[in-house]
């Protein structure tokens, strides 16, 4: 008897999911026990890349999530609604859920996982972060015996593609974005990618798993790549860095058994990364996640973060894991909600109860890169140095290489400083008559 999947959505990821499930040869034998039972679509008559029995298609998505025959609902329609409501309805009807929807999980994770725990069903989200890279399951299982102190990564392929091309071609952001859109590498509305929101959703989910607590998405500091210019990439290169959009979550202090409160930094921003850093050579649309824990040390996961096949690989692996569990706890696979009375699988369920405390960005200790355009008058560099010094901002290097638009271009890199002190100093510097403008302020790893 096969386990029945109700698939919501037959777009890019849904199509990849069907392709794997319809072609189980040379894959894990469990796939042969999974059947596509119904597929919810908007336009049943649309030509499709996969051959499916037309009787499986329906426009009534609610009928899938409420159908007693369905064991597992796979949600790959994306967007907040109706995805969130359909997931909750599926849970209420005792279905296990597999979703690729990072936006829903990052915003409504508490509501969804609490409903799932009460109903005794699983909600699996491997495909929600970094597409084909297995990172959710490693964090929940293989790496979970470690005390994780940092998880950081390149989790947005669109921005990594744009930054890589800016680096390789010396082009400016707007031109390369337009070209990426024409080539289909960037969405017509690129906001979620280029302004960092997609990466913020993903790091909120990863931080929650790595640090065992919930994350309030509005507390995740988020800055995108629109302000990164060709000039910054060229200066970074001379100074020994590349610029990457990093999503970072770190525990603030060493483990203290007397204070187990988690104080975390969770942030997304363009970052100057030393060329020797393991993430610095992750280019184009590729994603990578670096986990640092005790005692495992550094573990880096690399691969394709989006696309039909890679994301479907994650979706189907979640379906398969649920099927493997169902096989051990029931001989009647269509009756899945009966495990509401038993303990959930400790490594599959989400049982976080508390919210992590996120440190405000003003309290961050980091290095900065700043590019100033100044009027070329004597004493400018001295005044800059004095003002930063007055606010305990120690400078690592000050470079003046040339002129831009008849203005002197000065690039400053600080030592590790308090972000609040740095911002206060910068506000004072900005008011100096000799300062024309401050085109870029970036953090340095
Ligand atoms: N838009 C995302 C990216 C893929 O560019 O990586 C889906 O999360």
């Amino acid at each position: 008897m096969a386990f029945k999947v109700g698939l919501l959505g037959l777009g890019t990821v849904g199509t990849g999911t069907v392709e794997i499930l319809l072609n189980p040869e040379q894959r894990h034998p469990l796939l042969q026990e999974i059947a596509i039972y119904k597929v919810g679509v908007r336009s049943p008559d649309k030509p499709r890349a996969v051959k499916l029995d037309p009787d499986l298609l329906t426009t009534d998505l609610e009928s899938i999530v409420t159908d007693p025959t369905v064991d597992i609902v796979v949600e790959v329609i994306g967007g907040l609604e109706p995805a969130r409501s359909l997931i909750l309805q599926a849970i209420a009807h005792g279905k296990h859920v597999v979703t690729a929807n990072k936006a829903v999980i990052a915003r409504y994770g508490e509501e969804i996982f609490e409903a799932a725990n009460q109903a005794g069903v699983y909600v699996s989200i491997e495909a929600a972060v970094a597409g084909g890279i297995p990172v959710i399951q490693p964090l929940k299982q293989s790496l979970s015996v470690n005390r994780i102190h940092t998880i950081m990564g390149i989790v947005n392929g669109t921005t990594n593609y744009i930054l890589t091309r800016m680096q390789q071609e010396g082009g400016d952001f707007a031109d390369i974005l337009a070209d990426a859109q024409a080539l289909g590498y960037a969405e017509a509305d690129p906001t979620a990618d280029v302004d960092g929101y997609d990466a913020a959703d993903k790091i909120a989910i990863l931080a929650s798993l790595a640090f065992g607590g919930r994350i309030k998405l509005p507390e995740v500091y988020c800055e995108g790549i629109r302000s990164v210019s060709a000039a910054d990439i060229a200066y970074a290169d001379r100074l020994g860095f590349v610029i990457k959009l990093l999503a970072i979550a770190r525990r603030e202090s060493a483990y203290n058994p007397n204070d187990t409160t988690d104080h975390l930094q969770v942030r997304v921003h363009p970052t100057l990364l030393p060329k020797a850093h393991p993430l610095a050579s992750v280019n184009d649309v590729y994603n990578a996640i670096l986990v640092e824990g005790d005692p495992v040390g550094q573990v880096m996961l690399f691969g394709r973060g989006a696309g039909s096949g890679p994301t479907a690989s994650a979706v189907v692996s979640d379906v398969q894991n649920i099927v493997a569990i169902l096989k051990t706890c029931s001989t009647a696979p269509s009756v899945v909600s009966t495990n509401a009375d038993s303990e959930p699988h400790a490594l599959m369920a989400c049982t976080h109860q508390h919210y992590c405390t996120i440190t405000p960005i003003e309290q961050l200790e980091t290095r900065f890169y700043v590019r100033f355009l100044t009027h070329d008058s004597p004493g400018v560099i001295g005044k800059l140095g004095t003002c930063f010094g007055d606010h305990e901002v120690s400078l690592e290097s000050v470079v003046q290489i040339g002129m831009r638009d008849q203005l002197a271009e000065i690039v400053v890199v600080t030592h590790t400083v308090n972000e609040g002190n740095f911002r206060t100093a910068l506000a004072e510097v900005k008011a100096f008559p000799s300062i024309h403008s401050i085109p870029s302020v970036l953090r340095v790893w």
Side-chain angles (χ1 to χ4, degrees):
M1 188 192 266
F3 292 85
K4 296 185 180 60
V5 166
L7 180 61
L8 307 179
L10 194 53
T12 309
V13 181
T15 301
T17 301
V18 169
E19 274 170 356
I20 297 176
L21 288 174
L22 292 186
N23 295 288
E25 303 79 21
Q26 298 177 357
R27 298 185 167 132
H28 197 287
L30 259 187
L31 290 186
Q32 289 166 14
E33 299 185 43
I34 301 168
I36 301 168
Y37 177 74
K38 278 283 170 200
V39 182
V41 294
R42 207 178 306 161
S43 322
D45 300 326
K46 193 171 143 182
R48 304 276 170 191
V50 279
K51 254 197 165 162
L52 264 180
D53 177 354
D55 289 346
L56 297 185
L57 302 186
T58 174
T59 54
D60 183 358
L61 274 59
E62 242 182 82
S63 73
I64 298 179
V65 298
T66 57
D67 188 328
T69 316
V70 170
D71 299 301
I72 301 168
V73 166
V74 173
E75 182 279 306
V76 286
I77 51 179
L80 293 181
E81 286 294 354
R84 169 186 155 272
S85 300
L86 289 165
I87 290 172
L88 288 169
Q89 255 185 303
I91 292 168
H93 284 80
K95 319 283 174 224
H96 301 279
V97 174
V98 171
T99 177
N101 199 323
K102 80 222 103 185
V104 164
I105 295 300
R107 283 162 190 76
Y108 303 110
E110 176 176 2
E111 181 184 30
I112 288 171
F113 287 111
E114 282 193 355
N117 289 342
Q118 276 184 11
V121 297
Y122 299 111
V123 174
S124 298
I125 58 168
E126 187 63 72
V129 180
I133 305 176
V135 61
I136 302 292
Q137 203 185 354
L139 285 175
K140 283 169 106 168
Q141 305 197 3
S142 340
L143 293 171
S144 62
V145 299
N146 291 278
R147 208 171 271 143
I148 306 291
H149 46 84
T150 304
I151 177 160
M152 62 191 282
I154 294 168
V155 291
N156 183 270
T158 306
T159 44
N160 205 33
Y161 173 82
I162 292 170
L163 290 172
T164 302
R165 281 196 52 192
M166 286 174 74
Q167 171 93 27
Q168 290 168 349
E169 297 167 25
D172 257 316
F173 170 78
D175 299 335
I176 295 198
L177 170 63
D179 199 43
Q181 287 172 312
L183 292 168
Y185 285 105
E187 304 274 350
D189 177 1
T191 311
D193 294 316
V194 302
D195 292 324
Y197 303 127
D198 173 82
D201 289 349
K202 291 169 179 168
I203 196 66
I205 294 170
L206 293 179
S208 172
L209 292 166
F211 300 109
R214 295 190 168 124
I215 305 289
K216 289 186 183 144
L217 189 59
E219 294 182 358
V220 177
Y221 178 80
C222 181
E223 197 181 300
I225 65 163
R226 286 185 200 266
S227 64
V228 177
S229 68
D232 298 317
I233 291 194
Y235 274 113
D237 185 53
R238 282 177 183 229
L239 294 165
F241 298 98
V242 291
I243 300 182
K244 294 289 184 190
L245 183 70
L246 292 188
I248 302 166
R250 303 194 94 175
R251 220 185 268 280
E252 282 283 26
S253 52
Y255 175 68
N256 173 0
N258 299 319
D259 176 12
T260 49
T261 322
D262 288 318
H263 289 269
L264 305 180
Q265 305 166 7
V266 189
R267 50 195 166 104
V268 171
H269 50 70
T271 313
L272 273 74
L273 197 59
K275 287 178 183 172
H277 191 278
L279 291 169
S281 53
V282 175
N283 286 326
D284 301 313
V285 294
Y286 280 93
N287 285 195
I289 294 134
L290 181 67
V291 183
E292 293 180 1
D294 174 27
V296 72
Q298 290 191 326
V299 175
M300 188 153 118
L301 307 156
F302 168 89
R304 287 189 179 272
S308 177
T311 313
S313 159
V315 166
V316 180
S317 82
D318 274 346
V319 173
Q320 183 175 257
N321 281 340
I322 292 171
V323 164
I325 289 186
L326 295 184
K327 272 176 76 85
T328 65
C329 66
S330 170
T331 48
S334 59
V335 187
V336 293
S337 56
T338 49
N339 53 1
D341 297 331
S342 60
E343 280 282 307
H345 187 301
L347 299 179
M348 289 270 294
C350 174
T351 50
H352 305 151
Q353 297 297 333
H354 74 286
Y355 278 92
C356 299
T357 306
I358 310 292
T359 307
I361 194 77
E362 295 75 21
Q363 290 174 27
L364 182 70
E365 303 283 321
T366 188
R367 291 158 76 202
F368 283 94
Y369 155 102
V370 199
R371 184 161 58 91
F372 297 95
L373 289 176
T374 77
H375 302 291
D376 199 11
S377 51
V380 177
I381 289 179
K383 278 190 209 152
L384 281 179
T386 305
C387 183
F388 279 124
D390 288 346
H391 292 280
E392 294 178 51
V393 174
S394 166
L395 304 186
E396 184 179 292
S397 69
V398 180
V399 181
Q400 182 182 354
I401 292 170
M403 304 288 288
R404 187 180 297 273
D405 304 329
Q406 275 141 31
L407 294 162
E409 194 164 45
I410 298 172
V411 168
V412 168
V413 176
T414 73
H415 284 291
T416 299
V417 299
N418 172 274
E419 175 144 351
N421 290 346
F422 171 81
R423 288 189 190 195
T424 308
L426 203 63
E428 277 182 29
V429 167
K430 206 171 181 177
F432 292 173
S434 49
I435 299 293
H436 173 273
S437 55
I438 306 178
S440 323
V441 178
L442 297 166
R443 291 172 191 81
V444 179
W445 186 258

